[in-house]
Amino acid sequence: MLNLNEIAKEKFNKTLEESTNQEIYKLLLDLVQDKAKDQPINESKKKLYYVSAEFLIGKLLSNNLLNLGLYQEVENQLAASGKSLAEVEEAEQEPSLGNGGLGRLAACFLDSIATLGLNGDGVGLNYHFGLFKQIFKDHQQNYAPDEWLAEPTWLTKSDISFEVPFGKFTLTSSLYDLEVLGFQQGKRNRLRLFDLDTVSSDIIEEGTITFDKTNIEENLTLFLYPDDSDRNGNLLRIYQQYFMVSNAAQLAIAEAIERGSNVHDLADYVVIQINDTHPTFIIPELIRLLTTQHVVSYDEAVIIVRNIVAFTNHTILAEALEKWPLDDVKEVVPEIATIIEKLDVEIKEQFADKPNVHVIDENNIVHMAHIAIHFGFSTNGVAALHTEILKETELKPFYELYPEEFSNKTNGITFRRWIMAANPELTAYLDEKIGTDWHLDADLTGLLEFQKDEKVLQELKDIKNIKKAQLAEHLERTQDIKINPNSIIDVQIKRIHEYKRQQMLALYVIYKYLDIKAGNIPATPITIIFGGKAAPAYTIAQDIIHLILTLSELIENDADVKDHLQLVFVENYNVGEAEYLFPAADISEQISLASKEASGTGNMKFMLNGALTVATLDGANVEIAELVGNDNIYLFGRSSDEIVHLYETNGYNPQYYYNKRQIQPIVDFIVGDEMMALGNEANLTRLYNDIKNKDWFMALIDLIEFIQIKDLMFEDYEDQAVWQEKSLINIAKAGFFSADRTIEEYNNEIWHLTDGSSKKDSDITLN
Ligand code: 26Q
């Protein structure tokens, strides 16, 4: 029997009541670690390595307690001593080892892989500083380093270490492990994070995120690459990537040999899923290791690797597709550059007439995705529409070469974190209404039976109100932001990027502000909440943040409006903030320019917690709409086909939309006197000119429709019986988006972990 009081007495010679939250956190961390290490590690002949530059795992305490089945017991015992788990959790530093969706997906996948009892580890880097801390000052995004590696830590240093040979020096790695516990599974996997003992925070300029980018021994794992658009620091990025994959490859080979592989049969023992192209160097690295450290010929090594590596694409934005100058690769790892050149020769011989599939282009640029597709056995997109776009446009020439290697794996989210831990109130209510099987099978459709049950609809609303009150309390306590918990909570939380169109929602806010000034008072007050970080070098994204923060102050200062409309930008949006925001939202903003958002996963978290979605038909929104039906989602905007066509024909002209009577005053407001009085002229003018003259991601094209659909939504909110029914249907249909379903698909169609054979055992021949 667990007795926290006794443990506290033993450890600190205090009762639980007398212990500080910090002490209780330490006590619970030790308890979880002990229990975790009692659990055997998953085993099977073949093992998966999920290699990723990012794992946005979030805080671990609640999730681990939940997966061990201790959550309720611990919460009860803490409560009996006047303590709360939520407050204890505030002692935990959040590891922000990811930028956004791709990193969070990797974390959800680890949870599901362990829950399904599959033998699969994550492999990545132990960044000493996670993604920067975002601080708002003078309506601008500022940066502070995020030092998360404080004691006590969940990491355990192993005695595993490898030599990684760069061109100019060889470095020795150290491996740290994090336990990954399956939900009620009794076995565990690990997240394996490689590091360098020589890394030092002394090279960081005090209080900034600036450091000497050339001092590789001291900086290699110092920072998560903070950026998905900046081109500086390319060499460091290559150093990081090669260090990650060399360690991953050496680990996979060593473990396979331990399990009985003779290396020639490595593909029966190892499958490697690469999370976007960031780990693509693992292909040449495996070839290097097999041919130099083991007795495998080059030709055979290429075949082995082709049976091991599978690639997931997460974006169709051209600027996010990784390409490195061959000279940069040569400078960092000449041996790998040589192998890439050999692979390129093979492809050029085979496809002489198809320059768009070559590995190295005419400008001597290495295309990482091309390596991954040619020399892996599987390429997948992350939502149905995204995969279709890959096949029909972005990766069409590759799809024509290898049609059977392409597949879709629609993303998913772990229900353990995104409803069971984040929304225990809704969890308990669902348990009462439909039983607890959904904890494992994610089937929530039993709820549909209560679609017309007024009492149930009212109780769901009561839970939403509790979550709104908790959000309001949290924001006031931690950020000194006061929101009205009785208002409609309308949320857009995600990285700041033009294609996600935060600027379009900001334009809606201007419209609404002017409308309220004109005397049209909303029936229920509205709170629009933004959260998200912008890449430091992404100028227009900084301008969008500035616009929102300035507008927020303007509204706050306006006595006519502030009680009816509030605009809030949550600072330093991260997994912890997300856990408050998703359960409290009434409205989920999924308004990306159609064709641009590969999937989205926040859309799924909102739906699961009962928010209604305003959406373009983009990414996984398409599948949400199919599941709930058009009456239970608010769709608007141009279709993906129309947008793709506009880009192809250069057919979009923002001036045309700007000149419309309804739009011009809204856009002009950005540089009007009121905004200029509060904001920064350079930011506002640049953004204004960009929207008017360029608007590359077409914020104006859907603006009028967006205004109409949002106003319709606010109108519909007033009929609570109808609104709550829609909300119930969204919850009930969310089961498809369980990451357990996604991982089952990966395993059945790509990894084949339980049947012991690789996908293409002998069906590949030398050319
Ligand atoms: C590229 C080159 C150099 C440096 C960094 C990068 C880089 C870093 C991060 C490129 C892309 C990323 C992150 C991409 C990402 O998060 N994509 C999101 O993946 C989610 C999971 O599949 C999807 O749901 C989102 O739609 C997609 O935007």
Side-chain angles (χ1 to χ4, degrees):
M1 235 338 247
L2 183 64
N3 187 332
L4 297 182
N5 230 330
E6 247 165 47
I7 305 178
K9 286 228 176 78
E10 258 167 50
K11 266 191 164 6
F12 316 117
N13 200 21
K14 287 181 182 175
T15 64
L16 201 53
E17 207 173 334
E18 291 159 350
S19 305
T20 63
N21 284 336
Q22 182 66 39
E23 286 167 336
I24 298 174
Y25 169 58
K26 165 83 177 124
L27 176 161
L28 291 173
L29 181 145
D30 290 344
L31 175 83
V32 168
Q33 292 286 64
D34 287 347
K35 299 251 179 217
K37 286 183 179 141
D38 285 345
Q39 298 195 341
I41 291 177
N42 279 304
E43 281 175 38
S44 60
K45 178 177 175 185
K46 195 178 194 183
K47 177 169 177 178
L48 160 75
Y49 296 84
Y50 193 90
V51 185
S52 176
E54 308 190 6
F55 287 93
L56 192 41
I57 50 182
K59 294 185 183 192
L60 296 170
L61 180 61
S62 285
N63 213 237
N64 282 340
L65 287 171
L66 190 81
N67 285 4
L68 285 170
L70 293 173
Y71 186 89
Q72 203 53 56
E73 180 64 30
V74 165
E75 195 170 47
N76 293 346
Q77 291 194 21
L78 289 179
S81 298
K83 303 284 178 183
S84 102
L85 190 51
E87 280 167 29
V88 169
E89 218 185 13
E90 284 179 15
E92 179 172 4
Q93 293 266 356
E94 169 171 333
S96 287
L97 309 185
N99 278 289
L102 160 155
R104 182 55 230 175
L105 185 76
C108 283
F109 279 5
L110 292 185
D111 187 272
S112 287
I113 292 165
T115 296
L116 295 177
L118 299 175
N119 183 14
D121 285 345
V123 183
L125 294 175
N126 189 37
Y127 306 105
H128 295 217
F129 293 82
L131 186 61
F132 64 85
K133 274 206 177 107
Q134 178 191 52
I135 297 165
F136 294 141
K137 200 168 158 260
D138 303 329
H139 308 132
Q140 308 276 1
Q141 172 174 274
N142 281 252
Y143 307 88
D146 167 50
E147 188 164 25
W148 70 282
L149 277 173
E151 289 293 332
T153 171
W154 293 95
L155 292 169
T156 311
K157 189 169 186 178
S158 78
D159 51 14
I160 293 173
S161 161
F162 299 107
E163 302 279 292
V164 179
F166 292 101
K168 295 183 181 140
F169 42 77
T170 291
L171 299 177
T172 307
S173 67
S174 298
L175 172 64
Y176 292 82
D177 284 329
L178 270 173
E179 309 306 329
V180 179
L181 308 169
F183 175 64
Q184 294 182 349
Q185 222 287 325
K187 290 195 181 157
R188 68 187 153 114
N189 292 327
R190 287 162 296 183
L191 171 54
R192 323 202 74 175
L193 298 176
F194 284 95
D195 202 351
L196 261 186
D197 291 341
T198 50
V199 163
S200 159
S201 55
D202 295 349
I203 63 170
I204 303 172
E205 284 173 33
E206 176 79 23
T208 71
I209 53 168
T210 313
F211 61 97
D212 177 359
K213 289 217 167 97
T214 59
N215 188 342
I216 301 300
E217 260 176 78
E218 297 194 3
N219 74 19
L220 188 81
T221 53
L222 196 54
F223 278 95
L224 166 74
Y225 205 81
D227 221 304
D228 45 14
S229 60
D230 170 67
R231 287 273 139 206
N232 290 330
N234 274 0
L235 290 181
L236 170 56
R237 177 89 178 166
I238 299 175
Y239 274 105
Q240 285 190 333
Q241 290 188 346
Y242 181 66
F243 183 76
M244 171 172 77
V245 302
S246 178
N247 279 298
Q250 294 186 62
L251 180 71
I253 294 175
E255 289 186 342
I257 291 172
E258 220 165 89
R259 286 197 306 284
S261 168
N262 65 17
V263 182
H264 300 282
D265 60 1
L266 193 65
D268 293 337
Y269 288 81
V270 173
V271 59
I272 296 174
Q273 189 72 41
I274 59 173
N275 200 20
D276 216 290
T277 51
H278 318 154
T280 301
F281 288 126
I282 202 161
I283 288 170
E285 175 62 2
L286 280 165
I287 296 172
R288 182 188 76 84
L289 290 166
L290 290 172
T291 53
T292 61
Q293 320 275 300
H294 305 275
V295 280
V296 178
S297 71
Y298 174 83
D299 289 346
E300 189 192 354
V302 173
I303 295 172
I304 294 174
V305 171
R306 263 199 176 124
N307 281 304
I308 288 181
V309 178
F311 162 55
T312 305
N313 171 284
H314 295 267
T315 183
I316 56 156
L317 287 187
E319 62 267 34
L321 287 177
E322 275 192 311
K323 300 173 195 110
W324 301 118
L326 181 63
D327 287 344
D328 288 358
V329 183
K330 271 191 186 148
E331 183 175 335
V332 177
V333 258
E335 270 189 273
I336 291 302
T338 305
I339 295 173
I340 290 174
E341 287 178 296
K342 266 178 104 163
L343 297 174
D344 178 56
V345 168
E346 187 182 325
I347 295 301
K348 280 183 176 144
E349 278 171 7
Q350 216 178 332
F351 307 113
D353 56 337
K354 295 194 170 78
N356 55 358
V357 304
H358 292 172
V359 165
I360 302 174
D361 70 18
E362 66 281 10
N363 299 317
N364 248 358
I365 304 288
V366 180
H367 292 240
M368 302 299 274
H370 299 189
I371 301 178
I373 301 170
H374 286 304
F375 298 97
F377 69 85
S378 159
T379 296
N380 75 279
V382 290
L385 174 68
H386 171 232
T387 303
E388 284 314 304
I389 295 174
L390 291 180
K391 294 201 289 200
E392 279 163 29
T393 56
E394 297 307 310
L395 298 179
K396 187 170 188 192
F398 292 92
Y399 178 59
E400 283 166 355
L401 296 180
Y402 314 110
E404 73 292 344
E405 296 193 1
F406 278 70
S407 74
N408 175 244
K409 300 286 169 284
T410 297
N411 282 165
I413 57 174
T414 167
F415 280 28
R416 270 72 66 186
R417 183 175 293 265
W418 296 112
I419 179 166
M420 295 170 71
N423 200 341
E425 295 84 356
L426 181 55
T427 299
Y429 189 68
L430 293 173
D431 290 353
E432 184 193 314
K433 289 291 158 203
I434 63 169
T436 58
D437 286 356
W438 67 272
H439 293 186
L440 282 170
D441 65 18
D443 183 351
L444 296 166
T445 51
L447 201 55
L448 291 173
E449 188 188 316
F450 304 99
Q451 199 169 325
K452 301 280 177 199
D453 185 325
E454 278 174 29
K455 184 161 169 282
V456 171
L457 296 179
Q458 181 58 47
E459 283 163 348
L460 286 172
K461 180 166 175 63
D462 294 343
I463 291 170
K464 182 63 78 183
N465 285 337
I466 292 171
K467 301 315 283 184
K468 288 189 194 184
Q470 288 172 0
L471 173 69
E473 187 279 328
H474 169 76
L475 290 179
E476 175 151 18
R477 186 165 45 81
T478 59
Q479 306 204 3
D480 204 21
I481 293 174
K482 292 185 188 55
I483 62 165
N484 175 358
N486 301 315
S487 61
I488 302 173
I489 305 285
D490 180 344
V491 185
Q492 187 174 23
I493 40 178
K494 46 185 83 237
R495 284 299 286 252
I496 309 300
H497 201 296
E498 288 161 278
Y499 85 79
K500 296 176 188 282
R501 297 199 293 190
Q502 281 95 353
Q503 71 278 31
M504 184 170 72
L505 182 53
L507 291 172
Y508 173 81
V509 174
I510 294 174
Y511 151 81
K512 200 69 186 166
Y513 171 80
L514 296 173
D515 198 42
I516 294 172
K517 289 297 268 185
N520 299 315
I521 306 293
T524 304
I526 299 164
T527 302
I528 294 182
I529 302 182
F530 285 94
K533 300 180 186 180
Y538 189 172
T539 309
I540 293 289
Q542 309 293 334
D543 295 341
I544 293 171
I545 292 179
H546 182 73
L547 169 68
I548 296 166
L549 289 170
T550 307
L551 197 54
S552 168
E553 193 192 341
L554 185 145
I555 294 171
E556 183 65 39
N557 291 346
D558 192 317
D560 299 340
V561 179
K562 71 179 176 58
D563 294 335
H564 310 293
L565 176 67
Q566 205 191 345
L567 175 58
V568 165
F569 205 137
V570 172
E571 196 174 49
N572 199 42
Y573 173 63
N574 59 12
V575 177
E577 296 302 319
E579 288 167 358
Y580 279 97
L581 287 158
F582 286 115
D586 296 303
I587 296 178
S588 158
E589 297 281 348
Q590 308 303 333
I591 58 178
S592 54
L593 178 64
S595 82
K596 295 295 176 190
E597 188 71 270
S599 163
T601 45
N603 45 3
M604 304 168 188
K605 295 164 196 168
F606 279 115
M607 175 193 189
L608 177 61
N609 283 281
L612 301 194
T613 311
V614 53
T616 49
L617 278 172
D618 200 15
N621 301 346
V622 175
E623 288 154 88
I624 295 179
E626 278 165 11
L627 283 162
V628 301
N630 285 0
D631 289 345
N632 298 301
I633 185 168
Y634 292 82
L635 297 172
F636 74 101
R638 303 301 162 101
S639 71
S640 163
D641 285 347
E642 286 172 280
I643 299 299
V644 169
H645 179 74
L646 280 175
Y647 277 109
E648 279 168 1
T649 55
N650 230 329
Y652 176 64
N653 174 13
Q655 284 283 345
Y656 170 79
Y657 293 92
Y658 170 78
N659 287 331
K660 285 184 184 276
R661 180 181 47 81
Q662 306 103 302
I663 292 187
Q664 193 163 0
I666 300 174
V667 176
D668 285 350
F669 192 86
I670 298 175
V671 287
D673 293 345
E674 291 165 274
M675 287 294 285
M676 285 298 187
L678 293 173
N680 175 290
E681 191 183 333
N683 289 113
L684 296 173
T685 313
R686 184 168 46 214
L687 182 60
Y688 169 78
N689 286 326
D690 191 277
I691 292 178
K692 220 173 117 174
N693 301 317
K694 186 166 161 224
D695 196 23
W696 183 246
F697 291 100
M698 306 185 194
L700 299 188
I701 200 169
D702 293 328
L703 181 59
I704 290 178
E705 260 194 70
F706 184 54
I707 289 172
Q708 285 164 351
I709 197 104
K710 284 199 67 68
D711 279 353
L712 173 68
M713 244 177 145
F714 291 129
E715 213 179 292
D716 283 3
Y717 185 85
E718 297 310 314
D719 190 343
Q720 275 295 306
V722 175
W723 183 276
Q724 283 305 323
E725 183 181 343
K726 291 182 203 279
S727 167
L728 176 148
I729 292 169
N730 272 269
I731 299 169
K733 298 286 178 107
F736 175 72
F737 297 110
S738 164
D740 297 351
R741 185 269 310 153
T742 313
I743 290 302
E744 273 183 349
E745 291 179 7
Y746 273 94
N747 189 40
N748 292 337
E749 295 162 34
I750 301 175
W751 303 335
H752 306 289
L753 292 177
T754 34
D755 63 24
S757 69
S758 67
K759 178 155 181 283
K760 285 195 259 179
D761 252 347
S762 53
D763 62 348
I764 205 165
T765 47
L766 284 173
N767 322 297

